[in-house]
Amino acid sequence: MILVEIVTVLALLQYLTFAALVGRARVKCSVKAPATTGHEVFERFYRVQMNTLELLVVFLPAMWLAARYWSPALVSGIGAIYLVGRFMYFRAYTREPSTRSLGFNLSLGPALLLLLAALVGAVLAGLK
Amino acid sequence: MILVEIVTVLALLQYLTFAALVGRARVKCSVKAPATTGHEVFERFYRVQMNTLELLVVFLPAMWLAARYWSPALVSGIGAIYLVGRFMYFRAYTREPSTRSLGFNLSLGPALLLLLAALVGAVLAGLK
Amino acid sequence: MILVEIVTVLALLQYLTFAALVGRARVKCSVKAPATTGHEVFERFYRVQMNTLELLVVFLPAMWLAARYWSPALVSGIGAIYLVGRFMYFRAYTREPSTRSLGFNLSLGPALLLLLAALVGAVLAGLK
């Protein structure tokens, strides 16, 4: 499970980096807490963090459940695609929100695939 | 633990469905990213997703911790009530926000019960 | 792992308390669902809950991963600092947002430390 653990830590560090960039954008764009709106650029960074949070709560349990039934090397490989997809999503969204689809799909896809793998694994185990 | 795993996957799929409906509402209500406000109907779908996210981070750890001490069949049965409650919450909130209490309570309740079960289980095990 | 479990339950209960206070602030400040803006005091409570959610998704996996490699007593002790830090953050933010740094750092710090401990543990185990 070491590879799955390392992908987990990297996904959390990536997410924390997005969160830190929101903090920086807050200062740069002069959006004073507790507001989360008021400047388009700040809002892009904020949406990247929030959307990553929204996906992370699916991705991590899906990866760990899938790893109960499938090869940890395969599962963490799919997890690595998620990491790359999220990075592309971040780059695209903060530059031009309308171009965020590819990175979005390359990170949602692996999460869905792992969730499906977990479901198939659990159902097959239940039928035994 | 197979039943607990299946309830976990179903809870994540339900949440992803709510998230997908936000995406659809975004287009229908013409709320352009990164905005998350501006149209009452969009905001209802968005709040359903966010509130489900807010509860999911409690529900999943609570269910898995409870399953360390109590029958997985019982624990996943309580988890199934959560799934039904969240569906009722979604239906009520998107039609008329003021009617969302029943579904809200039927999903918060199971999460709290599982959290309490986990706490009691851990404390009793610690006293041994 | 009992101590780690108990810190987990306490962190979830603390978060649910922050969420319940948002519900109360919603009524007191007359911010009708689905709105999440419109009254400064409500927004402070809402940001405390959201920021705690944002950190919780890092803290819990980090603590459990760290506990795979380091003493559960030490790991849960660091987790206890997180709990105190979050309480300070809540107190400061709801009174005067500009004073929230100390509580913020005292809860982000333990989460980062646990994440680093998990990473070091996993990498060292991988090198063996």
Side-chain angles (χ1 to χ4, degrees), chain B residues 8-94:
Chain B
T8 301
V9 172
L10 292 178
L12 294 172
L13 286 174
Q14 183 183 50
Y15 163 72
L16 284 173
T17 306
F18 294 161
L21 292 172
V22 172
R24 206 183 58 170
R26 191 178 271 288
V27 176
K28 270 198 181 166
C29 303
S30 306
V31 178
K32 218 183 154 198
T36 57
T37 52
H39 192 297
E40 161 81 18
V41 172
F42 170 79
E43 289 179 35
R44 291 181 192 178
F45 280 91
Y46 183 63
R47 283 308 309 155
V48 167
Q49 183 203 343
M50 288 310 292
N51 188 275
T52 302
L53 170 63
E54 289 162 29
L55 190 51
L56 200 57
V57 298
V58 174
F59 171 67
L60 291 183
M63 182 167 64
W64 283 87
L65 285 178
R68 290 166 86 109
Y69 296 105
W70 308 93
S71 144
L74 176 66
V75 163
S76 55
I78 297 172
I81 298 172
Y82 162 92
L83 292 174
V84 174
R86 269 293 110 174
F87 177 70
M88 290 169 63
Y89 174 78
F90 158 73
R91 289 260 293 210
Y93 204 150
T94 53

Side-chain angles (χ1 to χ4, degrees), chain A residues 47 50 54 57 68-69 93 122, chain B residues 2 5 15 33-34 46 49:
Chain A
R47 284 307 309 155
M50 289 309 292
E54 289 163 29
V57 298
R68 290 165 87 108
Y69 296 106
Y93 205 150
Chain B
I2 291 172
E5 291 173 21
Y15 163 72
Y46 183 63
Q49 183 203 343

Side-chain angles (χ1 to χ4, degrees), chain A residues 75-109:
Chain A
V75 163
S76 55
I78 297 172
I81 299 172
Y82 161 92
L83 293 174
V84 174
R86 270 293 110 174
F87 178 70
M88 290 169 62
Y89 174 80
F90 158 74
R91 290 261 292 209
Y93 205 150
T94 52
R95 289 176 182 184
E96 175 48 56
S98 64
T99 64
R100 70 188 188 278
S101 297
L102 178 60
F104 182 79
N105 291 327
L106 265 177
S107 45
L108 176 61

